[in-house]
Amino acid sequence: MATVDLFAIGNALIDQEFRVSDQFLTEQNLQKGTMQLADGDTQAQLYNNLNASQVYKGQASGGSAANTTVAFSALGSSAFYACRVGNDELGRIYLDGLNDAGIITSQKSISEGVTGTCMVLVSDDSERTMQTYLGITAELSAQQMDFEPLKTAQWLYIEGYLSTSDTARLAVKQARQIAREHNVKIALTLSDPAMVQYARQGLNELLDDGVDLIFCNEQEAMLYTETDTVEAALAKLKTLSRDVVITLSAKGALVSNQDQHFYVPGRKVNAVDANGAGDAFSGAFLYALNCGENLQTAAQLAILVSSEVVAKFGPRLEIAEYATLLETFKKECA
């Protein structure tokens, strides 16, 4: 039985990234800064429109929780990723990419169907807008999951995008039960404002009776709690989670629980692409906690790693870059 520090559950998506104009987003009826689901034909039409008028930047393996897991693993801890891909070329590329990053996966993840894809549209201000065709990952269920590694893990990490899938929510419920039985801490990310707006009931199911750590940005926090300020949102979120982390984009992050409340400033970089930044933040934060660091140190490392992701195109850094950043961080803290 594989022993891992992190057991993550999330969608498996191949990203196609484009640099786009705000005008293009308006013309395509896409809400800037959010993720919208689409069927295959609709996404194919968008892809054609993108190729005709916008700038293609490349292909990358994505998926929110997968990006988090890559950061967590590349920094030096062990991880397992539960997902569902098709028995196709993109599915093989996806799983091979995770395995190359040192992440354990299961053959159960492969099934007949089409691997999901995501059009990632990056505006001049580095904001990312996404249109996703989930493909077979829409039917992610407990059948694709080997729960044995979860029993010895330190953390269970749940992606909020799973709130749209009936079968995935049932799988998460089973995972949560196993985690509680084996004293595994549970972390969850709200993932996207669109999930809060259109899949609130699903998010409620994922949160169930609460978690140990919740990640969200300020927009997601206020939308989910139906409040007008970050502070008011924090107060409500602390009734659902022991620790709450609210990212504030370039401004930094707020971290709060019943005993402490603090702000960690952001780090100035030349912003290129915000895609994956929040995911990297979560991965670095969880890595630091897993190593026994306090919340303050975890937030500082998370800001360093996520800011570097923002400074480059794509949802992830090169694997070696995470270790380099960690060494830099240790030297600065010495």
Side-chain angles (χ1 to χ4, degrees):
M1 180 175 66
T3 299
V4 298
D5 298 309
L6 177 72
F7 186 102
I9 306 173
N11 287 321
L13 300 168
I14 294 290
D15 290 349
Q16 300 289 344
E17 284 214 328
F18 290 82
R19 171 72 80 181
V20 302
S21 65
D22 285 352
Q23 180 181 349
F24 180 85
L25 295 177
T26 301
E27 291 171 351
Q28 302 300 312
N29 295 315
L30 296 171
Q31 183 180 350
K32 187 174 180 178
T34 67
M35 188 282 293
Q36 299 175 47
L37 294 176
D39 57 35
D41 290 341
T42 300
Q43 190 184 75
Q45 183 59 58
L46 175 62
Y47 183 71
N48 290 336
N49 294 341
L50 285 162
N51 276 321
S53 63
Q54 307 300 302
V55 180
Y56 181 62
K57 299 298 291 187
Q59 175 178 291
S61 294
S64 175
N67 297 333
T68 293
T69 307
V70 167
F72 182 88
S73 175
L75 286 167
S77 292
S78 58
F80 180 95
Y81 192 60
C83 62
R84 188 171 189 174
V85 298
N87 188 16
D88 53 20
E89 182 180 2
L90 290 181
R92 289 187 288 276
I93 290 171
Y94 192 87
L95 293 183
D96 286 348
L98 291 179
N99 297 153
D100 289 344
I103 295 163
I104 301 170
T105 59
S106 170
Q107 286 297 304
K108 290 183 177 181
S109 293
I110 305 171
S111 60
E112 293 306 313
V114 178
T115 299
T117 50
C118 179
M119 299 298 112
V120 181
L121 317 180
V122 182
S123 310
D124 289 339
D125 60 0
S126 80
E127 182 63 87
R128 100 286 186 269
T129 303
M130 300 182 292
Q131 188 201 71
T132 300
Y133 169 53
L134 290 172
I136 197 63
T137 198
E139 300 170 30
L140 175 63
S141 70
Q143 289 180 307
Q144 284 78 53
M145 299 183 194
D146 177 3
F147 287 117
E148 286 303 309
L150 174 58
K151 297 176 182 178
T152 57
Q154 298 299 312
W155 287 94
L156 166 63
Y157 184 75
I158 304 164
E159 173 186 305
Y161 286 120
L162 299 178
S163 58
T164 63
S165 169
D166 293 340
T167 54
R169 294 197 305 274
L170 288 174
V172 168
K173 184 175 182 179
Q174 186 172 340
R176 287 180 57 97
Q177 181 177 347
I178 294 170
R180 291 307 191 200
E181 289 172 354
H182 291 84
N183 297 315
V184 179
K185 297 180 287 292
I186 301 174
L188 178 143
T189 171
L190 295 185
S191 291
D192 194 281
M195 296 301 97
V196 180
Q197 289 176 296
Y198 307 116
R200 177 182 292 272
Q201 183 56 45
L203 281 176
N204 290 343
E205 289 182 36
L206 296 181
L207 277 162
D208 197 12
D209 60 353
V211 295
D212 298 286
L213 174 59
I214 190 167
F215 294 101
C216 56
N217 64 31
E218 52 189 323
Q219 184 181 8
E220 294 156 1
M222 290 185 287
L223 280 172
Y224 186 75
T225 58
E226 298 179 320
T227 56
D228 296 325
T229 67
V230 172
E231 292 296 332
L234 266 176
K236 287 195 172 184
L237 289 172
K238 284 193 288 188
T239 67
L240 303 172
S241 177
R242 184 192 65 197
D243 297 322
V244 178
V245 179
I246 299 181
T247 56
L248 308 171
S249 189
K251 294 178 290 184
L254 282 173
V255 181
S256 188
N257 58 29
Q258 297 304 321
D259 300 316
Q260 53 186 314
H261 174 87
F262 59 88
Y263 163 76
V264 177
R267 178 171 173 263
K268 188 174 182 179
V269 296
N270 180 27
V272 174
D273 179 5
N275 183 31
D279 307 330
F281 183 101
S282 299
F285 195 99
L286 286 168
Y287 165 80
L289 292 186
N290 188 61
C291 292
E293 301 291 352
N294 60 35
L295 293 171
Q296 182 98 28
T297 301
Q300 290 169 341
L301 176 62
I303 285 173
L304 171 62
V305 174
S306 60
S307 65
E308 287 299 312
V309 172
V310 171
K312 298 183 179 182
F313 254 98
R316 305 172 186 169
L317 301 174
E318 296 295 327
I319 297 302
E321 292 182 272
Y322 294 96
T324 300
L325 287 174
L326 181 59
E327 287 304 311
T328 299
F329 182 76
K330 289 179 177 178
K331 289 178 182 177
E332 291 176 350
C333 294

